[in-house]
C-alpha cells in the first residue's frame, strides 16, 4: 500500500493506493497537533511507502511507521494529481485554506508556477472569515453571493481591509448579498492576474477546497472564458488532488 498525505494549514487529506487504484480517501482537520491527526488518519495502516506534501510535508519524517518516508512540494503534488485526473490539463488553479497556486503544465510537466503563501488574502481563510462577518456558514456563502447583483467593487482581499470596506458598504445601504458578490469578484480579480502571469491556457483544472464554492466557479468561468466541464475542469473531490499526487509519486518511486 502507498499513502499520500497532504498536510495543509486547515485540513489533512489522505489517499491510499494499491495496485494503482485508490482504495481509501479520508480527511481530518489539521488542528494544532497535525501529527496526532495524521496518526488518527492512518489508524493502524501499514504502508510500504508514504509521501507527504503541503505545508506540513516534512512532518512525515517524524512518523515511526517502519516504511519509506518521502516529501514533495505542493506544486509537484498538485501537478501530478491534476494531470492524472485530466491528462489534457494545461493550467491548474488551487485555492486552499491559506494559499493560492497557479501552475502552467506542458505534457504533465510543470513549466511555470506562482504561489501566494505569505498571507491568507484571497484564500479559503479569507472567505471563511468574511462569511463569519455575514453570519453565513462557509458552505452556504457562495450560493448567498450568487443572489447579489450590481456588486460594489471591493479594492482589497486583505481580510482586515475587506471587512472594513464591507462594513462601510453595509452602512451605506448596499444589499449584503451584493457586497458578498463583490468580495467574491475581488478574489477572482487577484486569481486571474496570477493565472495570467503563468500563461493561462485551457483547459484549466480548479482544485482545492474553494472549488466547492459555486460563486467562485461561475465567476472564474466568466473571467477566463471557459465553460465548466470543458475549458474549466473540476474534480469530484477537488481538495484531494494534492494527496492523490503525493500517492502517485509514491507509486512511481
Amino acid at each position: 500500500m502507498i499513502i499520500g498525505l497532504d498536510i495543509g494549514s486547515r485540513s489533512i487529506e489522505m489517499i491510499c493506493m494499491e495496485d494503482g487504484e485508490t482504495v481509501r480517501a479520508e480527511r481530518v482537520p489539521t488542528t494544532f497537533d497535525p501529527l496526532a491527526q495524521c496518526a488518527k488518519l492512518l489508524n493502524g495502516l501499514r504502508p510500504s511507502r508514504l509521501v507527504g506534501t503541503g505545508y506540513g510535508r516534512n512532518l512525515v519524517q517524524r512518523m515511526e511507521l517502519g516504511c519509506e518516508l518521502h516529501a514533495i512540494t505542493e506544486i509537484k503534488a498538485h501537478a501530478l494529481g491534476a494531470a492524472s485526473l485530466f491528462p489534457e490539463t494545461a493550467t491548474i488553479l488551487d485555492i486552499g485554506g491559506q494559499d493560492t497556486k497557479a501552475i502552467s503544465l506542458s505534457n504533465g510537466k510543470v513549466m511555470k508556477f506562482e504561489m501566494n503563501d505569505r498571507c491568507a488574502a484571497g484564500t479559503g481563510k479569507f472567505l471563511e472569515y468574511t462569511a463569519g462577518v455575514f453570519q453565513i456558514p462557509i458552505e452556504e456563502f457562495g450560493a448567498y453571493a450568487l443572489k447579489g447583483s450590481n456588486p460594489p467593487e471591493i479594492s482589497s482581499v486583505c481580510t482586515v481591509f475587506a471587512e472594513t470596506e464591507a462594513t462601510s458598504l453595509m452602512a451605506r445601504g448596499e444589499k449584503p448579498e451584493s457586497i458578498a458578490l463583490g468580495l467574491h469578484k475581488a478574489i477572482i480579480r487577484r486569481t486571474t492576474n496570477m493565472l495570467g502571469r503563468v500563461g493561462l491556457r485551457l483547459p484549466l483544472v480548479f482544485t482545492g477546497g474553494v472549488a466547492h464554492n459555486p460563486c467562485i466557479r461561475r465567476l472564474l468561468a466568466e473571467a477566463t472564458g471557459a465553460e465548466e466541464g470543458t475549458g474549466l475542469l473540476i474534480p469530484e473531490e477537488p481538495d484531494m488532488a494534492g494527496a492523490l499526487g503525493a500517492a502517485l509519486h509514491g507509486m512511481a518511486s
Side-chain angles (χ1 to χ4, degrees), residues 12 14 24 26-29 31 33-45:
I12 302 172
M14 178 181 75
R24 188 165 170 176
E26 294 184 24
R27 178 188 306 110
V28 295
T31 74
D33 192 349
L35 275 176
Q37 293 297 89
C38 289
K40 184 185 294 184
L41 270 177
L42 292 166
N43 191 27
L45 293 174

Side-chain angles (χ1 to χ4, degrees), residues 132-148:
V133 172
F134 286 78
Q135 300 183 15
I136 301 288
I138 182 60
E139 297 82 5
E140 301 171 15
F141 195 39
Y144 178 78
L146 285 172
K147 297 175 184 174

Side-chain angles (χ1 to χ4, degrees), residues 93 188 191-192 195 200 202 204 206 213-234:
L93 172 65
I188 290 299
T191 299
T192 50
L195 288 168
L200 171 64
L202 301 180
L204 168 66
F206 188 17
N213 182 306
C215 186
I216 291 291
R217 291 163 68 138
R218 180 183 297 181
L219 294 174
L220 181 63
E222 291 173 359
T224 59
E227 185 175 346
E228 187 171 330
T230 52
L232 176 61
L233 305 173
I234 302 173

Side-chain angles (χ1 to χ4, degrees), residues 145-155 169 172 174-186 189 215 219 222:
L146 285 172
K147 297 175 184 174
S149 60
N150 300 317
E153 181 165 331
I154 307 291
S155 61
L169 289 165
R172 283 162 36 191
E174 290 280 358
K175 289 175 57 180
E177 297 92 332
S178 299
I179 298 171
L181 180 57
L183 288 163
H184 282 69
K185 288 179 79 76
R189 277 198 305 276
C215 186
L219 294 174
E222 291 173 359

Side-chain angles (χ1 to χ4, degrees), residues 85-147:
L85 294 168
F86 305 106
E88 68 273 36
T89 301
T91 313
I92 300 166
L93 172 65
D94 175 77
I95 307 181
Q98 295 204 46
D99 68 34
T100 301
K101 296 176 274 293
I103 308 168
S104 173
L105 293 188
S106 178
N107 297 319
K109 294 185 178 179
V110 176
M111 303 304 291
K112 192 173 182 180
F113 71 91
E114 186 164 318
M115 186 169 177
N116 158 39
D117 60 353
R118 293 189 178 180
C119 73
T123 67
K125 182 64 179 175
F126 171 84
L127 281 171
E128 185 178 330
Y129 184 83
T130 50
V133 172
F134 286 78
Q135 300 183 15
I136 301 288
I138 182 60
E139 297 82 5
E140 301 171 15
F141 195 39
Y144 178 78
L146 285 172
K147 297 175 184 174

Side-chain angles (χ1 to χ4, degrees), residues 48-64:
S48 57
R49 185 178 299 127
L50 183 147
V51 179
T53 189
Y55 269 118
R57 59 184 177 273
N58 291 321
L59 288 174
V60 301
Q61 303 295 346
R62 293 164 56 181
M63 295 178 180
E64 297 179 356

